[in-house]
Short mmCIF file of all heavy atoms in Angstrom, two decimals:
data_model
loop_
_atom_site.label_atom_id
_atom_site.label_comp_id
_atom_site.label_asym_id
_atom_site.label_seq_id
_atom_site.Cartn_x
_atom_site.Cartn_y
_atom_site.Cartn_z
N ILE A 123 -11.11 -3.92 6.46
CA ILE A 123 -10.35 -2.99 7.30
C ILE A 123 -8.89 -2.94 6.88
O ILE A 123 -8.29 -1.86 6.79
CB ILE A 123 -10.47 -3.39 8.79
CG1 ILE A 123 -11.92 -3.26 9.28
CG2 ILE A 123 -9.55 -2.51 9.65
CD1 ILE A 123 -12.15 -3.80 10.67
N ILE A 124 -8.31 -4.10 6.61
CA ILE A 124 -6.92 -4.14 6.15
C ILE A 124 -6.75 -3.33 4.88
O ILE A 124 -5.81 -2.52 4.76
CB ILE A 124 -6.47 -5.60 5.94
CG1 ILE A 124 -6.38 -6.34 7.28
CG2 ILE A 124 -5.13 -5.66 5.20
CD1 ILE A 124 -6.22 -7.84 7.14
N GLU A 125 -7.63 -3.51 3.92
CA GLU A 125 -7.52 -2.77 2.66
C GLU A 125 -7.74 -1.28 2.88
O GLU A 125 -7.09 -0.44 2.23
CB GLU A 125 -8.51 -3.32 1.64
CG GLU A 125 -8.13 -4.70 1.13
CD GLU A 125 -6.69 -4.75 0.65
OE1 GLU A 125 -6.32 -3.96 -0.24
OE2 GLU A 125 -5.91 -5.58 1.17
N ALA A 126 -8.62 -0.92 3.80
CA ALA A 126 -8.84 0.49 4.11
C ALA A 126 -7.58 1.12 4.68
O ALA A 126 -7.19 2.24 4.30
CB ALA A 126 -10.00 0.64 5.10
N VAL A 127 -6.91 0.41 5.58
CA VAL A 127 -5.67 0.93 6.17
C VAL A 127 -4.61 1.12 5.08
O VAL A 127 -3.94 2.17 5.02
CB VAL A 127 -5.16 -0.03 7.27
CG1 VAL A 127 -3.75 0.36 7.71
CG2 VAL A 127 -6.10 -0.03 8.46
N ARG A 128 -4.45 0.14 4.23
CA ARG A 128 -3.45 0.23 3.16
C ARG A 128 -3.74 1.40 2.22
O ARG A 128 -2.83 2.16 1.84
CB ARG A 128 -3.39 -1.07 2.39
CG ARG A 128 -2.96 -2.28 3.22
CD ARG A 128 -3.06 -3.57 2.42
NE ARG A 128 -2.03 -3.65 1.39
CZ ARG A 128 -2.03 -4.54 0.41
NH1 ARG A 128 -3.04 -5.39 0.30
NH2 ARG A 128 -1.06 -4.56 -0.47
N GLU A 129 -4.99 1.55 1.84
CA GLU A 129 -5.35 2.59 0.88
C GLU A 129 -5.25 3.99 1.50
O GLU A 129 -4.77 4.92 0.85
CB GLU A 129 -6.76 2.34 0.35
CG GLU A 129 -6.82 1.10 -0.56
CD GLU A 129 -8.24 0.67 -0.88
OE1 GLU A 129 -9.19 1.42 -0.52
OE2 GLU A 129 -8.41 -0.41 -1.48
N VAL A 130 -5.67 4.14 2.75
CA VAL A 130 -5.55 5.43 3.41
C VAL A 130 -4.09 5.80 3.62
O VAL A 130 -3.69 6.96 3.43
CB VAL A 130 -6.32 5.43 4.75
CG1 VAL A 130 -5.97 6.65 5.58
CG2 VAL A 130 -7.83 5.38 4.50
N ALA A 131 -3.27 4.83 4.01
CA ALA A 131 -1.84 5.11 4.18
C ALA A 131 -1.20 5.54 2.87
O ALA A 131 -0.39 6.48 2.83
CB ALA A 131 -1.12 3.88 4.73
N ALA A 132 -1.58 4.89 1.78
CA ALA A 132 -1.02 5.24 0.48
C ALA A 132 -1.45 6.63 0.03
O ALA A 132 -0.69 7.35 -0.64
CB ALA A 132 -1.44 4.20 -0.56
N ALA A 133 -2.66 7.04 0.42
CA ALA A 133 -3.18 8.33 -0.03
C ALA A 133 -2.80 9.49 0.88
O ALA A 133 -2.52 10.60 0.41
CB ALA A 133 -4.70 8.26 -0.13
N GLU A 134 -2.75 9.24 2.20
CA GLU A 134 -2.62 10.35 3.14
C GLU A 134 -1.29 10.38 3.90
O GLU A 134 -0.87 11.45 4.35
CB GLU A 134 -3.76 10.29 4.17
CG GLU A 134 -5.16 10.29 3.57
CD GLU A 134 -5.52 11.59 2.89
OE1 GLU A 134 -4.75 12.58 2.99
OE2 GLU A 134 -6.58 11.64 2.23
N ILE A 135 -0.63 9.23 4.06
CA ILE A 135 0.57 9.16 4.91
C ILE A 135 1.85 9.14 4.09
O ILE A 135 2.73 10.00 4.27
CB ILE A 135 0.50 7.94 5.84
CG1 ILE A 135 -0.71 8.07 6.79
CG2 ILE A 135 1.79 7.79 6.64
CD1 ILE A 135 -0.95 6.85 7.66
N LEU A 136 1.97 8.19 3.19
CA LEU A 136 3.22 8.05 2.43
C LEU A 136 3.57 9.30 1.61
O LEU A 136 4.75 9.69 1.59
CB LEU A 136 3.14 6.82 1.53
CG LEU A 136 3.50 5.49 2.20
CD1 LEU A 136 3.19 4.33 1.27
CD2 LEU A 136 4.96 5.46 2.61
N PRO A 137 2.63 9.95 0.93
CA PRO A 137 3.00 11.13 0.13
C PRO A 137 3.57 12.27 0.96
O PRO A 137 4.32 13.10 0.45
CB PRO A 137 1.69 11.54 -0.55
CG PRO A 137 0.86 10.30 -0.56
CD PRO A 137 1.21 9.59 0.71
N ARG A 138 3.23 12.32 2.26
CA ARG A 138 3.69 13.41 3.12
C ARG A 138 4.97 13.05 3.89
O ARG A 138 5.56 13.90 4.53
CB ARG A 138 2.59 13.79 4.10
CG ARG A 138 1.35 14.42 3.44
CD ARG A 138 0.32 14.79 4.51
NE ARG A 138 -0.75 15.59 3.97
CZ ARG A 138 -1.98 15.13 3.67
NH1 ARG A 138 -2.24 13.82 3.82
NH2 ARG A 138 -2.92 15.94 3.21
N PHE A 139 5.37 11.78 3.84
CA PHE A 139 6.56 11.37 4.58
C PHE A 139 7.80 12.04 3.98
O PHE A 139 8.03 11.97 2.78
CB PHE A 139 6.71 9.85 4.54
CG PHE A 139 7.88 9.33 5.34
CD1 PHE A 139 8.07 9.70 6.66
CD2 PHE A 139 8.79 8.45 4.77
CE1 PHE A 139 9.14 9.22 7.40
CE2 PHE A 139 9.86 7.95 5.49
CZ PHE A 139 10.05 8.35 6.81
N ARG A 140 8.56 12.71 4.82
CA ARG A 140 9.73 13.51 4.42
C ARG A 140 9.33 14.62 3.44
O ARG A 140 10.16 15.07 2.66
CB ARG A 140 10.83 12.62 3.82
CG ARG A 140 11.37 11.61 4.84
CD ARG A 140 12.45 10.72 4.25
NE ARG A 140 12.93 9.79 5.27
CZ ARG A 140 13.70 8.74 5.02
NH1 ARG A 140 14.07 8.48 3.76
NH2 ARG A 140 14.10 7.94 5.99
N ASN A 141 8.09 15.04 3.51
CA ASN A 141 7.58 16.06 2.59
C ASN A 141 6.63 17.02 3.29
O ASN A 141 5.77 17.62 2.64
CB ASN A 141 6.87 15.37 1.42
CG ASN A 141 6.67 16.29 0.24
OD1 ASN A 141 7.49 17.15 -0.04
ND2 ASN A 141 5.54 16.12 -0.45
N LEU A 142 6.75 17.15 4.62
CA LEU A 142 5.89 18.04 5.38
C LEU A 142 6.36 19.48 5.25
O LEU A 142 7.55 19.77 5.38
CB LEU A 142 5.87 17.63 6.85
CG LEU A 142 5.17 16.30 7.17
CD1 LEU A 142 5.51 15.85 8.58
CD2 LEU A 142 3.66 16.42 7.00
N ALA A 143 5.43 20.35 5.01
CA ALA A 143 5.76 21.77 4.86
C ALA A 143 5.75 22.47 6.21
O ALA A 143 5.24 21.94 7.21
CB ALA A 143 4.76 22.44 3.92
N ASP A 144 6.31 23.67 6.26
CA ASP A 144 6.24 24.48 7.47
C ASP A 144 4.78 24.69 7.85
O ASP A 144 3.93 24.96 7.01
CB ASP A 144 6.91 25.84 7.24
CG ASP A 144 8.41 25.73 7.04
OD1 ASP A 144 8.98 24.68 7.41
OD2 ASP A 144 9.01 26.67 6.49
N GLY A 145 4.49 24.55 9.13
CA GLY A 145 3.12 24.74 9.60
C GLY A 145 2.29 23.48 9.55
O GLY A 145 1.11 23.53 9.95
N GLU A 146 2.84 22.36 9.08
CA GLU A 146 2.07 21.12 9.02
C GLU A 146 2.39 20.16 10.16
O GLU A 146 1.93 19.03 10.17
CB GLU A 146 2.32 20.42 7.68
CG GLU A 146 1.74 21.20 6.50
CD GLU A 146 1.83 20.46 5.18
OE1 GLU A 146 2.73 19.58 5.05
OE2 GLU A 146 1.01 20.75 4.29
#
C-alpha cells in the first residue's frame, strides 16, 4: 500500500502540482 501511494502520487499528483490548466 505504501508503494502504491508513492507511485500514484508520483504519476498523478506531483506532475499536476502548480500545473493545473483552466477547467481542471
Side-chain angles (χ1 to χ4, degrees):
I123 295 172
I124 292 168
E125 289 309 303
V127 170
R128 297 174 71 193
E129 290 169 8
V130 168
E134 304 293 352
I135 297 174
L136 276 172
R138 294 181 170 102
F139 183 51
R140 297 179 179 168
N141 196 34
L142 291 166
D144 292 341
E146 292 187 335

